Amino acid sequence: MTRVLLIGSPNSGKSLLFNRLTGLSQKVANFPGITVDVATGKLQGMDDVDLVDFPGTYSLKAISAEEKVAVAQFEKALEDTEVEHVLCLIDATRLEKSLFFTLQVIRECEQHGKAVTVLANMIDVLEANNLSIDLAALETAIHTRVIPISARSGKGLADIAEQIRAARSAGAQVQRPHLTDTPDELLRGTAHQLAQRLGPRGDVLVRTQNRLDAFFLHSFTGGFAFFGIMYLLFQSIFTWSTPAMDAIESSLAWMADGIVPLIGNSILQDFTADALFSGIGAFLVFVPQIFVLTFVIGLLEDSGYMARATLICHKPLRYFGLTGKSFVPMLSGVACAIPGIYAARAVDSPRKRLLTYMAIPLMPCSARLPVYALLIAAFIPAETFLGGLVGWQGLAMFGIYFFGMFMALVITGFVSRARKDKFDDLPFVLELPPYRLPGIKPLLRNAFNRAKHFVVKAGKIIFAVTLVVWVLGYFPNYGADLGQSWLGHMGRIIEPLFAPLGLDWRYGVAILTSFLAREVFVGTLGTIFGIEGAEENMVPLVQQIQGSDLTIASGLALLVFFAIALQCVSTMAILAKESRSGTLALKMFGAYFVLAYAMALLVYHLAALF
């Protein structure tokens, strides 16, 4: 098995190209700090070749912690005898920036005897603006094959496989001694000269970008656009996903009606009805919202807007001890805290990276989404106005998301003023990628795989917890009285802890199990309510909660508790690893639990007054 390395700078379209060449889904983003892991996939049409996608970096002389990881992995891979070829991707619309990095890569490949091919991406953008690049002269100047491609349209991708085959037939040891001992200073000068002589006129593309930036980065219109876009993001979670959620709910109910009566054994029949359809089924209903959330965020990232959002957020984030680069891992935390913590490597300052670690667990991650959706659907009316563009549930979702982010800023602002570290901060430098039309097909594939990964990853935990909860709630009286079951007795023990929030033992048990993973809260409640004799109404958990004695004040308290509490064992493990401090993870867990409980108690009493 041979390996081909794919490397390039951020915003060059590398992840999209990897998707097309392998048929796999990789995170597509237009700003630094997203891809931190090496991805591998079979090269289409060449089953004996693995394509390896390396994290994006601007230079082989690393500055940030993330770039150091990328460069170290790349240099280690060049020592591997199975690596035969290196594909270096450049942005043809920004030739000078790309060429310096490319010349560094060529120099490293010379020293290790590896074949290298340069892929000039964004050719479609040049053609759309009547611009051109002298590729033949560029090939001659750098002594390396240059293939014009468009990762978005697929143009030129077939030539890549042909070039790899040609290089393999010529032999893996390819020597290009013209750059072997050239220092970076000379490479930078060479890149500048080549870009000026052979590259396109960049002022045409810059003028187009500046016109859009004049609106999106304006102190007045940019702020309104930012809040409007963020609001539409959360509003779409309910609006766009409702048909799919209804379809899943109806399908599960239809399957339950058809399958459960066919099971002869009474215990197995109860398990299928109570645990599988009421427990796991209640969780699956909310998966479309995760799909929509991932897709909309992908649209904003791939269009180039998220880099502008990073710039917009830099000034206000500085007030809370953070940096504009903290916005990237914090945004990643909206999908999952784990990649957000990894992405914090891009934050250069150790002090601000620590504060970013503290902010990420408070981001409203997709694991919280099923809990939010369940409680909002149970207590907030599904009424809409302005032709269905605005709804109370969407406003509530926007509010609870905003609350989590607000609490993150309050905590980091307090800690940054209370803790006076002596770390030296690096200047804030951010590349603004050009505005581009997103590729819808890769984004849909990425959203589907994100939802699938979430189901597979969470499903294992939910099934295990559901099984345990069902056994404890079903025995020893075979589900005749849930309050007298083993689960009921355990719940009564912990009930005093959650009674001040107006929660009975059932919700206390669900909260405890959710510390394994937040989304387990929904599956646990589904199982508990299923055991209580809801066989005729197995899937719609919302209706079962509405029929219980849970008050609106308790529902709001639960929302606030889940918005703050650090209820994810995996996040704590990754946090301890990345920060190299298990004490930090434990302190954050304890502090956020106490704060979540106190805030939930406050909201409960305030809501009870009104």
Side-chain angles (χ1 to χ4, degrees), residues 128-200:
N129 290 274
N130 297 318
L131 300 174
S132 61
I133 180 173
D134 192 342
L135 295 179
L138 181 60
E139 281 188 348
T140 302
I142 65 176
H143 300 268
T144 304
R145 173 73 190 281
V146 180
I147 301 177
I149 68 167
S150 170
R152 198 171 77 89
S153 68
K155 178 180 179 180
L157 300 190
D159 297 333
I160 298 176
E162 294 180 4
Q163 175 64 16
I164 294 175
R165 293 189 183 96
R168 294 179 71 180
S169 62
Q173 301 299 317
V174 180
Q175 300 295 333
R176 293 185 177 88
H178 68 293
L179 292 178
T180 301
D181 300 317
T182 307
D184 283 345
E185 291 75 11
L186 291 180
L187 292 183
R188 192 180 298 277
T190 301
H192 176 74
Q193 294 174 4
L194 291 176
Q196 293 294 319
R197 181 164 57 92
L198 307 176

Side-chain angles (χ1 to χ4, degrees), residues 15 30 93 175 184 198 201 214 261 416 423 444 474 548 598:
S15 295
N30 277 321
T93 66
Q175 300 295 333
D184 283 345
L198 307 176
R201 291 189 304 111
S416 67
F423 293 124
L444 288 173
Y474 191 77
S548 68

Side-chain angles (χ1 to χ4, degrees), residues 416-439:
S416 67
R417 285 164 174 77
R419 179 173 177 174
K420 303 297 183 181
D421 296 279
K422 302 299 182 181
F423 293 124
D424 294 328
D425 286 344
L426 297 175
F428 175 70
V429 180
L430 178 71
E431 178 189 7
L432 293 180
Y435 293 94
R436 300 190 181 103
L437 290 175

Side-chain angles (χ1 to χ4, degrees), residues 381-434:
E383 299 175 0
T384 60
F385 44 95
L386 295 181
L389 294 177
V390 181
W392 289 116
Q393 292 184 342
L395 285 171
M397 182 66 75
F398 176 76
I400 193 63
Y401 267 57
F402 179 80
F403 173 76
M405 298 175 185
F406 173 76
M407 290 302 300
L409 296 179
V410 170
I411 291 173
T412 56
F414 173 79
V415 174
S416 67
R417 285 164 174 77
R419 179 173 177 174
K420 303 297 183 181
D421 296 279
K422 302 299 182 181
F423 293 124
D424 294 328
D425 286 344
L426 297 175
F428 175 70
V429 180
L430 178 71
E431 178 189 7
L432 293 180

Side-chain angles (χ1 to χ4, degrees), residues 78 107 156 196 253 269 280 384 399 450 466 574 605:
L78 289 178
R107 182 183 61 191
Q196 293 294 319
Q269 185 183 67
I280 299 177
T384 60
R450 167 66 70 176
T466 297
I574 298 301
H605 286 292

Side-chain angles (χ1 to χ4, degrees), residues 517-595:
R518 294 180 180 96
E519 60 274 14
V520 173
F521 177 86
V522 177
T524 301
L525 278 185
T527 304
I528 291 176
F529 278 105
I531 298 174
E532 284 191 299
E535 291 83 359
E536 70 284 354
N537 194 24
M538 287 176 288
V539 178
L541 181 58
V542 170
Q543 298 176 11
Q544 297 171 350
I545 293 178
Q546 290 172 338
S548 68
D549 55 356
L550 187 69
T551 64
I552 294 178
S554 297
L556 294 177
L558 270 176
L559 280 173
V560 170
F561 180 85
F562 272 91
I564 301 176
L566 206 173
Q567 297 166 269
C568 181
V569 176
S570 299
T571 298
M572 291 182 60
I574 298 301
L575 180 62
K577 178 182 177 182
E578 285 293 295
S579 65
R580 299 179 181 179
S581 173
T583 304
L584 174 65
L586 292 175
K587 286 182 178 179
M588 286 176 57
F589 174 80
Y592 284 170
F593 178 80
V594 172
L595 179 62

